[in-house]
Amino acid sequence: MARRYGVIGQGDVGTDKTVLGLVSAATIRPKIYDIVVGCTATPADGASQFQLKRFTAAGTSTAANIVAIDPGDPATLASAGQNHSSEPTYTSNTEMAAFSVNQRNTFRWVAAPGGEIVLPATASNGVGLKTASSNGTTANHEATFFFEE
Amino acid sequence: MSDKRFTASKPSGHIIISGPDGFLNEADTLQCVHCGGHWVLSPGSGKIRGFCGKCNGPVCGPKCSECVPMERQLEIVEGGGTWL
């Protein structure tokens, strides 16, 4: 059975703002099977359009701590970034999912077995959860990825 | 109270949106056999979807109409190519 990990990231929403990015490595293919998104600020009646999209360069971000779900597992080979100061280089037409969420709501997506989002075994490549647009205040949001590798 | 209306016989994923008043929306998602993307079933949306007879699975739209299976696309990127 593949090793499973969880990672939490935060970031402000806005136009083309990444909340959390998962970066692959040359020897593994991480597979995201669970995503949870919610607002950490005092929620206003505003909504954000989220996109899960592939990138080829990870940008500049604060490292997000990846935790093994089984404490006996080794450290992950993948890495993750949050609160980006420089956005990843996204590839056009690679939206893996898109959804709009009001700040008052919590969104969760879970893959059925075999429906995971697969990242290529290529360094610096990955998948980021970003807001394509946002109305209302630019509230801080938090995202959680569960993935296996 | 869930208002799950549209379901798939073989869903690739599932979404739940909850808010201060409890469950707001619940839906199945399907996965494109070519790009790996997910979308929520939305009959009547007008969006063009498809089905690949070679891969025996749903396709997300015209941009994925050419049959390049997900595994092949991953191999292309891992070989230094770009996403199709």
Side-chain angles (χ1 to χ4, degrees), chain A residues 55-76:
Chain A
F55 59 73
T56 54
T60 307
S61 62
T62 305
N65 188 34
I66 300 177
V67 179
I69 292 176
D70 182 342
D73 282 342
T76 177

Side-chain angles (χ1 to χ4, degrees), chain A residues 10-22 50-51 55 58 61 81-88 90 127-131 141:
Chain A
Q10 291 189 359
D12 286 345
V13 296
T15 303
D16 293 326
K17 296 280 285 181
T18 299
V19 178
L20 178 61
L22 182 64
F50 286 89
Q51 291 180 341
F55 59 73
S61 62
Q82 61 179 332
N83 202 15
H84 289 67
S85 57
S86 173
E87 289 294 303
Y90 287 102
V127 166
L129 180 71
K130 62 171 245 183
T131 48
H141 278 61

Side-chain angles (χ1 to χ4, degrees), chain A residues 29 54 56 91 93-98 100 104-112 114-122 125, chain B residues 11-20 24 29 31 35-40 63 70-71 74-75 77-79 82-84:
Chain A
R29 280 184 179 174
R54 296 191 186 279
T56 54
T91 307
N93 294 324
T94 59
E95 290 86 1
M96 309 301 294
S100 296
R104 303 186 196 283
N105 297 338
T106 299
F107 173 91
R108 184 180 184 202
W109 169 81
V110 186
E116 300 89 355
I117 291 172
V118 186
L119 281 61
T122 306
N125 274 237
Chain B
S12 298
H14 191 75
I15 66 163
I16 299 170
I17 300 174
S18 57
L24 297 177
T29 65
Q31 185 178 32
C35 73
H38 281 254
W39 70 90
V40 173
K63 76 177 178 70
M70 184 69 219
E71 181 66 29
L74 287 167
E75 290 172 355
V77 173
E78 288 164 359
T82 57
W83 293 102
L84 300 176

Side-chain angles (χ1 to χ4, degrees), chain B:
Chain B
M1 184 73 177
S2 169
D3 70 341
K4 187 175 181 182
R5 289 170 292 179
F6 305 123
T7 59
S9 57
K10 293 181 181 176
S12 298
H14 191 75
I15 66 163
I16 299 170
I17 300 174
S18 57
D21 301 322
F23 283 112
L24 297 177
N25 195 9
E26 196 176 0
D28 288 337
T29 65
L30 291 176
Q31 185 178 32
C32 178
V33 290
H34 294 162
C35 73
H38 281 254
W39 70 90
V40 173
L41 291 171
S42 183
S45 69
K47 290 179 180 171
I48 299 171
R49 309 295 187 189
F51 190 89
C52 179
K54 292 180 181 174
C55 300
N56 195 30
V59 174
C60 64
K63 76 177 178 70
C64 282
S65 58
E66 183 184 354
C67 181
V68 183
M70 184 69 219
E71 181 66 29
R72 180 69 188 127
Q73 294 215 35
L74 287 167
E75 290 172 355
I76 290 170
V77 173
E78 288 164 359
T82 57
W83 293 102
L84 300 176

